[in-house]
Amino acid sequence: MKKKLWIKIGIGVIVIAAVALLFAGNYLVNFAIVRKDTANNVAPESTVTAENQAIIQANTEIIEKQKEDWLAKTEQEIAEIVSDDGLQLKGDVFWTNRDSHKWVIAIHGYTGQRTDMQSVASFYGKNDFNVLTPDMRSHGESEGTYIGMGWLDRKDVLKWIQYVLQLDSNAEIILHGISMGGATVMMVSGEELPPQVKGIVEDCGYTSVWDIFSDELDYLFQLPEFPILYAADVVASIRAGYEFKTASAIKQVEKSNVPILFIHGSEDNFVHTDMVYPLYEACKTPKDILVVEGAGHGNSYRMDPDLYFQTVFEFIERECFSNVY
């Protein structure tokens, strides 16, 4: 009788532990990838110095003025597509020059929206690029319940590429993404891209969804990845349709057939600067890397806009458009 009792107790403990683990995994999925009305405060306190913060602020004011001037003189129209799983996705098209076939698709970050990329877009506009800025699924005006973290979004970006090609069959396209947008364009890079996609600029993207969530689990909750992240991975695969480990920018970059420029800030303690190096090493196509000294997460172009965009456009001309323009 005692043996049977202990077996029942053991089974009960296992069941309770399994339920608790699934509850914790479900909580993490809700916290991390269910659509948010307001952004989660998930970034650690910045380590950027006060002096560099002042530089970023001053440059931001200049860039904002440039953006507003560009928007005021640029023809704009709404863009819409339907994703493979039936979501209505929206974006903006900016016609800097209808005679130009240079295009950039600019991809925003986690819990952001398409207007976040207008500042970056204005630099492309100055260089005679037409621009598409989409709202990623579950962001802005685009539909969706689950944030794709770049993995689901990669399929959406393929559709946005086709949208641009419907507007301009001679388009020569650059993909430029920041943070989750950076991860997105890297994840797209491993797909079969049309030849009109000439290159990719990724800024502070993460190596994989698993890696960034492991970092955040440690920072926000002081918990190791085992067992909660494993449970969340199972829940995400059921609810959102993708697994965190499968959503790997590194594995996609390894398969890329287009040139990639990798950018990161030296003071990025959110998507840690160290992530950029294995991504760069994994790339087998023409590539370059820029680590902007003093810049925190997503602020490299504000820290040193001259260096940032000089590097971007020299890379594009050298590696992407060298045989075209």
Side-chain angles (χ1 to χ4, degrees), residues 253-272:
V253 163
E254 287 176 345
K255 300 187 292 181
S256 176
N257 291 315
V258 297
I260 304 178
L261 172 60
F262 299 85
I263 302 175
H264 227 96
S266 70
E267 298 302 312
D268 192 339
N269 62 341
F270 184 20
V271 178
H272 295 288

Side-chain angles (χ1 to χ4, degrees), residues 309-320:
F309 287 103
Q310 179 182 347
T311 303
V312 166
F313 291 114
E314 285 182 354
F315 179 82
I316 289 172
E317 291 300 320
R318 182 177 71 249
E319 304 293 355
C320 307

Side-chain angles (χ1 to χ4, degrees), residues 28 208-226 229 244 275:
L28 186 59
S208 72
V209 176
W210 180 276
D211 291 343
I212 191 62
F213 283 172
S214 178
D215 282 352
E216 286 299 289
L217 192 62
D218 178 50
Y219 166 69
L220 292 171
F221 303 107
Q222 294 78 53
L223 291 171
E225 59 187 35
F226 183 83
L229 192 55
F244 299 155
M275 281 194 178

Side-chain angles (χ1 to χ4, degrees), residues 200-213:
I200 288 173
V201 179
E202 83 81 18
D203 182 344
C204 62
Y206 36 81
T207 48
S208 72
V209 176
W210 180 276
D211 291 343
I212 191 62
F213 283 172

Side-chain angles (χ1 to χ4, degrees), residues 67-84:
K67 179 192 78 175
E68 294 303 324
D69 291 345
W70 174 70
L71 289 173
K73 63 184 180 183
T74 302
E75 182 184 350
Q76 179 179 347
E77 63 188 45
I78 298 296
E80 295 185 71
I81 63 170
V82 179
S83 70
D84 288 339

Side-chain angles (χ1 to χ4, degrees), residues 101 103 105 132 158-173 193-197:
H101 299 298
W103 283 84
I105 301 177
L132 169 64
L158 292 176
K159 289 218 157 191
W160 283 118
I161 291 168
Q162 291 303 317
Y163 185 91
V164 168
L165 293 178
Q166 290 171 7
L167 296 176
D168 179 4
S169 61
N170 295 316
E172 307 287 346
I173 302 169
L193 296 172
Q196 293 91 340
V197 176

Side-chain angles (χ1 to χ4, degrees), residues 43-57 178-179 203-205 263-273 290-304 308:
E45 184 176 349
S46 174
T47 58
V48 174
T49 66
E51 179 182 1
N52 286 338
Q53 289 283 17
I55 292 171
I56 289 168
Q57 180 58 39
I178 297 179
S179 192
D203 182 344
C204 62
I263 302 175
H264 227 96
S266 70
E267 298 302 312
D268 192 339
N269 62 341
F270 184 20
V271 178
H272 295 288
T273 307
L290 172 65
V291 176
V292 178
E293 289 300 320
H297 184 67
N299 273 321
S300 290
Y301 77 93
R302 296 186 182 98
M303 181 65 208
D304 195 338
Y308 186 102

